[in-house]
Amino acid sequence: MRRRITQPTATVTARTAAALAAGCATLLVVLTACGSPSAAHAPSAPSGKNGDTPPGASVPRGEGSRTPDDFNGDGLRDLVIDDLVKAPEDSHGDDAGIGVVYGSGARGLDPAARQLLSAHANAAKSGDTLPAAFDAETACDLDRDGFTDLIVSTDPPYNGIGAPPVPLQILFGSPAGLTGRAVTLRIPRKARFGNDWPQQPVCGDFDGDGRTDLAVTAGGGRVSFLRGPFTRAGAPRAAESLPGGPYLYAPGPKADTNGDGYDDLVHATRPHTPGAAAKATLLLGTPQGPTRPGGTYRFEAAEVPEAPLRTTGATGATGTTLLARADFDGDKKADTAVRTHRGERQDLIALFPARTPGRPLITFSTALFLR
């Protein structure tokens, strides 16, 4: 049921791959201090306990914008990070939650302006039970208020009889970012099919009315098409069941693949590994939603080189993954955010700007969220 959030345009070109390779030496140098931002890029903000910045203490207050992934509405793109590093004293290996780092103009991101979202603090209950899982799925402005909202997946209790409960919840954006409790996404019975778990939400204006919709998997190769805008109670304006497939994805690098004014949807018969080459099927948007067959869709292979870091039994497996390719610094060019990790307890986030791809604008570790 788990699926990581995919920021827009999660494809790495050969040119970008070369830029990332050039920056690997920088990652190697700063990873030794991955418990905090590098000295050259250390954020300046009010200090909290032990000299650290309290999460959420310096999130800028916005007034709303049309910028994608802008949870506090200040016109700057923010970054969502799943699978945060775990504290050394955490013997159980519990998931710390979802990290959000807010935008910072020319610096791209400001780790001091951050929030930690967790099931305990932010999830809606299913009856009297809080979920244990709380994973980011996708983000878009569902209620048209100028603040991006975050859709997360949870694990509500289920007795195995009939249709399972909806595991998807919505955290609404605000001038203070993502705060408060989520609400469970409401999928009307007529828009469901079979007894599968609703999964893999995909945002898009599939019916071309200027309002953001959601497509969610249903059973029997169907799609729950939920028309926006959504209420603050998590209900769509209208809903119906459409033909589709068991796995849904947003096409990239643009949602409207043929430029007809309707966003499109990709469905596949098997899971797709992000960054891997694969074939799927395109459903073109129409006034009735994503219903028109669009032929074969090809996922492009992404070249994401691993940082040249030595792996031992001491440090665990090492790898580099792409977090996002999008404009974070406001120059209308796609920057690249990557994550290098050593096992579950060390990592480094680096944001490489398009204008100087060999040198990161900022580096930090998700260990910041543990403080």
Side-chain angles (χ1 to χ4, degrees):
M1 189 173 71
R2 178 187 180 93
R3 175 171 168 263
R4 288 192 178 90
I5 189 169
T6 302
Q7 303 273 348
T9 319
T11 303
V12 179
T13 62
R15 179 179 179 184
T16 303
L20 292 178
C24 284
T26 302
L27 296 179
L28 177 60
V29 172
V30 296
L31 189 63
T32 57
C34 68
S36 61
S38 62
H41 302 289
S44 57
S47 295
K49 184 178 179 181
N50 299 324
D52 299 322
T53 304
S58 58
V59 174
R61 293 186 66 87
E63 298 181 353
S65 80
R66 295 184 178 180
T67 301
D69 299 323
D70 180 12
F71 303 109
N72 59 334
D74 64 350
L76 303 173
R77 188 184 292 263
D78 310 317
L79 181 67
V80 176
I81 309 168
D82 255 331
D83 299 321
L84 308 179
V85 296
K86 296 175 173 56
E89 65 274 12
D90 183 5
S91 59
H92 299 289
D94 293 335
D95 192 346
I98 303 167
V100 182
V101 179
Y102 287 84
S104 179
R107 298 177 66 238
L109 295 167
D110 182 5
R114 66 187 187 273
Q115 287 175 325
L116 177 64
L117 310 173
S118 68
H120 177 75
N122 302 102
K125 289 184 177 181
S126 179
D128 294 328
T129 305
L130 276 174
F134 203 63
D135 303 305
E137 291 287 339
T138 190
C140 49
D141 185 2
L142 293 174
D143 58 352
R144 300 188 73 197
D145 65 350
F147 301 92
T148 302
D149 311 310
L150 182 66
I151 298 95
V152 299
S153 61
T154 66
D155 57 346
Y158 174 49
N159 61 9
I161 301 174
V166 177
L168 302 173
Q169 299 186 4
I170 305 171
L171 269 168
F172 288 98
S174 74
L178 295 168
T179 61
R181 291 282 178 183
V183 299
T184 299
L185 175 66
R186 297 189 180 184
I187 303 180
R189 184 178 297 275
K190 66 179 182 179
R192 299 191 65 175
F193 191 88
N195 292 331
D196 290 350
W197 288 91
Q199 300 182 67
Q200 296 184 291
V202 177
C203 297
D205 181 11
F206 304 112
D207 56 8
D209 66 353
R211 303 164 179 173
T212 301
D213 313 310
L214 276 180
V216 181
T217 56
R222 304 285 293 182
V223 172
S224 295
F225 174 47
L226 310 177
R227 296 179 187 260
F230 289 70
T231 69
R232 281 293 181 129
R237 175 175 59 87
E240 54 204 286
S241 174
L242 300 177
Y247 301 98
L248 303 182
Y249 304 92
K254 61 178 183 177
D256 182 4
T257 60
N258 58 357
D260 65 353
Y262 301 91
D263 287 344
D264 307 315
L265 182 69
V266 176
H267 75 86
T269 57
R270 62 185 65 183
H272 173 246
T273 301
K279 292 182 180 179
T281 303
L282 190 66
L283 287 172
L284 300 177
T286 72
Q288 290 72 45
T291 60
R292 184 157 61 95
T296 300
Y297 180 84
R298 298 179 185 274
F299 292 102
E300 295 184 4
E303 302 175 48
V304 184
E306 289 192 2
L309 302 173
R310 183 174 298 175
T311 301
T312 71
T315 60
T318 298
T320 299
T321 56
L322 175 69
L323 293 181
R325 284 208 72 232
D327 179 18
F328 286 91
D329 58 8
D331 65 356
K332 302 188 184 302
K333 298 179 181 178
D335 311 309
T336 305
V338 298
R339 181 181 187 182
T340 300
H341 64 86
R342 281 177 172 165
E344 294 182 331
R345 306 195 185 279
Q346 284 187 310
D347 76 345
L348 186 78
I349 308 295
L351 179 64
F352 292 92
R355 61 180 184 274
T356 54
R359 180 179 179 183
L361 275 173
I362 193 165
T363 59
F364 61 93
S365 168
T366 63
L368 287 172
F369 291 97
L370 304 179
R371 300 174 180 175

